[in-house]
Amino acid sequence: QVHLVESGGGLVQAGGSLRLSCAPSGRKFSLYYMGWFRQAPGKEREFVAAIHWNDGETYYADFVKGRFTISGDDSENTVDLQMNALKPEDTAVYSCAFKTFPLRVGLHQANEYDYWGQGTQVTVSS
């Protein structure tokens, strides 16, 4: 079993930046992916970004390309999401997710992932 704890959310003005961090703990796996999803009020959960932990390959939703960067920190055992040029429409609860190999439905789908954190609130004011 894997436990995920997100941190770094908060309130920021449009155009500002936040850095989210996800710290996994528990059972270790040889090969896995970690992803970030978000869910705004009245909307479905949507894919933000993902990373193949073993080789660092990254994947992004179209709406965050050029603004957000996902990265893994081996020394801290965390996956981070650097968010720049934030917009009010980025306001949502951001959740970290974990998936071991092999993939079944794809990293862009929430039901691909086996474990989830409780989420951290990101609010962008205009």
Side-chain angles (χ1 to χ4, degrees), residues 85-112:
L86 284 163
K87 306 173 182 179
E89 51 263 44
D90 293 320
T91 296
V93 174
Y94 285 71
S95 299
C96 179
F98 179 97
K99 178 64 170 67
T100 62
F101 281 43
L103 299 178
R104 292 189 291 268
V105 298
L107 293 171
H108 289 73
Q109 299 188 35
N111 64 351
E112 176 66 74

Short mmCIF file of all heavy atoms in Angstrom, two decimals, residues 85-112:
data_model
loop_
_atom_site.label_atom_id
_atom_site.label_comp_id
_atom_site.label_asym_id
_atom_site.label_seq_id
_atom_site.Cartn_x
_atom_site.Cartn_y
_atom_site.Cartn_z
N ALA A 85 2.60 31.35 -14.00
CA ALA A 85 1.59 32.08 -14.78
C ALA A 85 0.19 31.56 -14.49
O ALA A 85 -0.59 31.28 -15.40
CB ALA A 85 1.91 32.00 -16.27
N LEU A 86 -0.12 31.42 -13.23
CA LEU A 86 -1.40 30.85 -12.83
C LEU A 86 -2.57 31.73 -13.24
O LEU A 86 -2.48 32.96 -13.22
CB LEU A 86 -1.41 30.61 -11.32
CG LEU A 86 -0.60 29.39 -10.87
CD1 LEU A 86 -0.33 29.46 -9.38
CD2 LEU A 86 -1.34 28.11 -11.22
N LYS A 87 -3.65 31.07 -13.60
CA LYS A 87 -4.87 31.74 -14.03
C LYS A 87 -6.01 31.38 -13.09
O LYS A 87 -5.97 30.34 -12.44
CB LYS A 87 -5.24 31.29 -15.45
CG LYS A 87 -4.14 31.45 -16.48
CD LYS A 87 -4.54 30.83 -17.80
CE LYS A 87 -3.44 30.93 -18.82
NZ LYS A 87 -3.82 30.30 -20.11
N PRO A 88 -7.03 32.22 -13.00
CA PRO A 88 -8.17 31.88 -12.14
C PRO A 88 -8.77 30.52 -12.46
O PRO A 88 -9.24 29.83 -11.54
CB PRO A 88 -9.16 33.01 -12.41
CG PRO A 88 -8.29 34.17 -12.75
CD PRO A 88 -7.15 33.58 -13.54
N GLU A 89 -8.76 30.12 -13.72
CA GLU A 89 -9.31 28.83 -14.09
C GLU A 89 -8.47 27.65 -13.62
O GLU A 89 -8.89 26.50 -13.75
CB GLU A 89 -9.53 28.73 -15.61
CG GLU A 89 -8.31 29.10 -16.43
CD GLU A 89 -8.34 30.54 -16.91
OE1 GLU A 89 -8.68 31.43 -16.11
OE2 GLU A 89 -8.03 30.77 -18.10
N ASP A 90 -7.28 27.92 -13.07
CA ASP A 90 -6.48 26.87 -12.46
C ASP A 90 -6.93 26.54 -11.05
O ASP A 90 -6.42 25.58 -10.45
CB ASP A 90 -5.00 27.28 -12.42
CG ASP A 90 -4.38 27.39 -13.80
OD1 ASP A 90 -4.68 26.55 -14.66
OD2 ASP A 90 -3.57 28.32 -14.01
N THR A 91 -7.84 27.31 -10.51
CA THR A 91 -8.35 27.07 -9.16
C THR A 91 -8.99 25.69 -9.08
O THR A 91 -9.90 25.37 -9.84
CB THR A 91 -9.35 28.15 -8.76
OG1 THR A 91 -8.70 29.42 -8.70
CG2 THR A 91 -9.97 27.84 -7.41
N ALA A 92 -8.51 24.88 -8.15
CA ALA A 92 -9.00 23.51 -8.01
C ALA A 92 -8.30 22.84 -6.84
O ALA A 92 -7.33 23.37 -6.29
CB ALA A 92 -8.74 22.70 -9.28
N VAL A 93 -8.80 21.67 -6.47
CA VAL A 93 -8.09 20.80 -5.56
C VAL A 93 -7.16 19.93 -6.40
O VAL A 93 -7.61 19.23 -7.30
CB VAL A 93 -9.05 19.92 -4.73
CG1 VAL A 93 -8.27 18.91 -3.90
CG2 VAL A 93 -9.92 20.79 -3.83
N TYR A 94 -5.89 19.98 -6.09
CA TYR A 94 -4.89 19.23 -6.83
C TYR A 94 -4.51 17.98 -6.04
O TYR A 94 -4.16 18.07 -4.87
CB TYR A 94 -3.65 20.08 -7.09
CG TYR A 94 -3.85 21.10 -8.17
CD1 TYR A 94 -4.67 22.20 -7.96
CD2 TYR A 94 -3.24 20.95 -9.42
CE1 TYR A 94 -4.87 23.14 -8.96
CE2 TYR A 94 -3.43 21.89 -10.42
CZ TYR A 94 -4.25 22.97 -10.19
OH TYR A 94 -4.45 23.90 -11.19
N SER A 95 -4.56 16.83 -6.70
CA SER A 95 -4.29 15.55 -6.04
C SER A 95 -3.17 14.81 -6.74
O SER A 95 -3.06 14.83 -7.96
CB SER A 95 -5.54 14.67 -6.04
OG SER A 95 -6.60 15.27 -5.33
N CYS A 96 -2.35 14.16 -5.94
CA CYS A 96 -1.27 13.33 -6.44
C CYS A 96 -1.75 11.89 -6.55
O CYS A 96 -2.54 11.42 -5.71
CB CYS A 96 -0.08 13.43 -5.49
SG CYS A 96 1.35 12.44 -5.94
N ALA A 97 -1.28 11.17 -7.56
CA ALA A 97 -1.68 9.79 -7.78
C ALA A 97 -0.49 8.93 -8.15
O ALA A 97 0.51 9.42 -8.70
CB ALA A 97 -2.75 9.73 -8.88
N PHE A 98 -0.61 7.63 -7.90
CA PHE A 98 0.47 6.67 -8.05
C PHE A 98 -0.02 5.47 -8.84
O PHE A 98 -1.12 4.96 -8.60
CB PHE A 98 0.95 6.23 -6.67
CG PHE A 98 2.07 5.23 -6.66
CD1 PHE A 98 3.38 5.63 -6.51
CD2 PHE A 98 1.79 3.87 -6.77
CE1 PHE A 98 4.41 4.70 -6.48
CE2 PHE A 98 2.82 2.93 -6.74
CZ PHE A 98 4.13 3.36 -6.60
N LYS A 99 0.82 5.00 -9.78
CA LYS A 99 0.47 3.83 -10.58
C LYS A 99 1.70 2.99 -10.86
O LYS A 99 2.68 3.49 -11.39
CB LYS A 99 -0.18 4.25 -11.91
CG LYS A 99 -0.53 3.08 -12.85
CD LYS A 99 -1.58 2.18 -12.24
CE LYS A 99 -2.09 1.16 -13.25
NZ LYS A 99 -1.06 0.19 -13.64
N THR A 100 1.63 1.69 -10.53
CA THR A 100 2.70 0.77 -10.88
C THR A 100 2.52 0.27 -12.31
O THR A 100 1.44 0.40 -12.90
CB THR A 100 2.74 -0.42 -9.92
OG1 THR A 100 1.50 -1.14 -10.01
CG2 THR A 100 2.94 0.04 -8.49
N PHE A 101 3.56 -0.30 -12.87
CA PHE A 101 3.47 -0.95 -14.17
C PHE A 101 2.66 -2.23 -14.06
O PHE A 101 2.66 -2.87 -13.01
CB PHE A 101 4.87 -1.28 -14.68
CG PHE A 101 5.61 -0.12 -15.27
CD1 PHE A 101 5.59 1.12 -14.67
CD2 PHE A 101 6.36 -0.28 -16.43
CE1 PHE A 101 6.29 2.18 -15.20
CE2 PHE A 101 7.08 0.77 -16.96
CZ PHE A 101 7.04 2.00 -16.35
N PRO A 102 1.98 -2.64 -15.13
CA PRO A 102 1.85 -1.96 -16.42
C PRO A 102 0.65 -1.02 -16.46
O PRO A 102 -0.26 -1.11 -15.65
CB PRO A 102 1.66 -3.13 -17.39
CG PRO A 102 0.85 -4.10 -16.60
CD PRO A 102 1.38 -3.98 -15.18
N LEU A 103 0.64 -0.15 -17.45
CA LEU A 103 -0.52 0.70 -17.68
C LEU A 103 -1.65 -0.10 -18.29
O LEU A 103 -1.42 -1.04 -19.05
CB LEU A 103 -0.16 1.86 -18.60
CG LEU A 103 0.93 2.82 -18.10
CD1 LEU A 103 1.22 3.88 -19.15
CD2 LEU A 103 0.52 3.45 -16.78
N ARG A 104 -2.88 0.30 -17.97
CA ARG A 104 -4.05 -0.39 -18.51
C ARG A 104 -4.94 0.50 -19.36
O ARG A 104 -5.39 0.07 -20.43
CB ARG A 104 -4.88 -0.99 -17.37
CG ARG A 104 -4.18 -2.14 -16.65
CD ARG A 104 -5.12 -2.83 -15.69
NE ARG A 104 -5.46 -2.00 -14.56
CZ ARG A 104 -4.80 -1.98 -13.41
NH1 ARG A 104 -3.76 -2.78 -13.25
NH2 ARG A 104 -5.19 -1.19 -12.43
N VAL A 105 -5.21 1.71 -18.92
CA VAL A 105 -6.10 2.60 -19.66
C VAL A 105 -5.45 3.91 -20.07
O VAL A 105 -6.03 4.65 -20.87
CB VAL A 105 -7.40 2.89 -18.86
CG1 VAL A 105 -8.17 1.59 -18.62
CG2 VAL A 105 -7.09 3.58 -17.55
N GLY A 106 -4.28 4.23 -19.55
CA GLY A 106 -3.58 5.44 -19.94
C GLY A 106 -3.43 6.44 -18.81
O GLY A 106 -4.31 6.59 -17.96
N LEU A 107 -2.33 7.16 -18.81
CA LEU A 107 -2.00 8.09 -17.74
C LEU A 107 -2.92 9.29 -17.67
O LEU A 107 -2.96 9.96 -16.64
CB LEU A 107 -0.56 8.56 -17.88
CG LEU A 107 0.52 7.49 -17.68
CD1 LEU A 107 1.88 8.04 -18.07
CD2 LEU A 107 0.52 7.01 -16.24
N HIS A 108 -3.64 9.59 -18.75
CA HIS A 108 -4.54 10.72 -18.76
C HIS A 108 -5.88 10.42 -18.10
O HIS A 108 -6.70 11.33 -17.95
CB HIS A 108 -4.78 11.19 -20.20
CG HIS A 108 -3.61 11.86 -20.83
ND1 HIS A 108 -2.50 11.16 -21.25
CD2 HIS A 108 -3.37 13.17 -21.13
CE1 HIS A 108 -1.62 12.01 -21.77
NE2 HIS A 108 -2.13 13.22 -21.71
N GLN A 109 -6.10 9.18 -17.70
CA GLN A 109 -7.37 8.79 -17.10
C GLN A 109 -7.19 8.51 -15.62
O GLN A 109 -6.28 7.79 -15.21
CB GLN A 109 -7.94 7.56 -17.81
CG GLN A 109 -8.21 7.78 -19.28
CD GLN A 109 -8.94 6.63 -19.91
OE1 GLN A 109 -9.78 5.98 -19.29
NE2 GLN A 109 -8.61 6.36 -21.17
N ALA A 110 -8.07 9.08 -14.81
CA ALA A 110 -7.95 8.95 -13.36
C ALA A 110 -8.02 7.50 -12.90
O ALA A 110 -7.36 7.13 -11.93
CB ALA A 110 -9.04 9.77 -12.68
N ASN A 111 -8.83 6.68 -13.59
CA ASN A 111 -8.97 5.30 -13.15
C ASN A 111 -7.78 4.42 -13.51
O ASN A 111 -7.80 3.22 -13.25
CB ASN A 111 -10.27 4.69 -13.68
CG ASN A 111 -10.32 4.61 -15.19
OD1 ASN A 111 -9.46 5.15 -15.89
ND2 ASN A 111 -11.33 3.92 -15.71
N GLU A 112 -6.73 5.00 -14.08
CA GLU A 112 -5.48 4.28 -14.28
C GLU A 112 -4.73 4.11 -12.97
O GLU A 112 -3.98 3.14 -12.81
CB GLU A 112 -4.61 5.03 -15.29
CG GLU A 112 -3.22 4.42 -15.51
CD GLU A 112 -3.29 3.05 -16.16
OE1 GLU A 112 -3.58 2.98 -17.38
OE2 GLU A 112 -3.05 2.05 -15.46
#
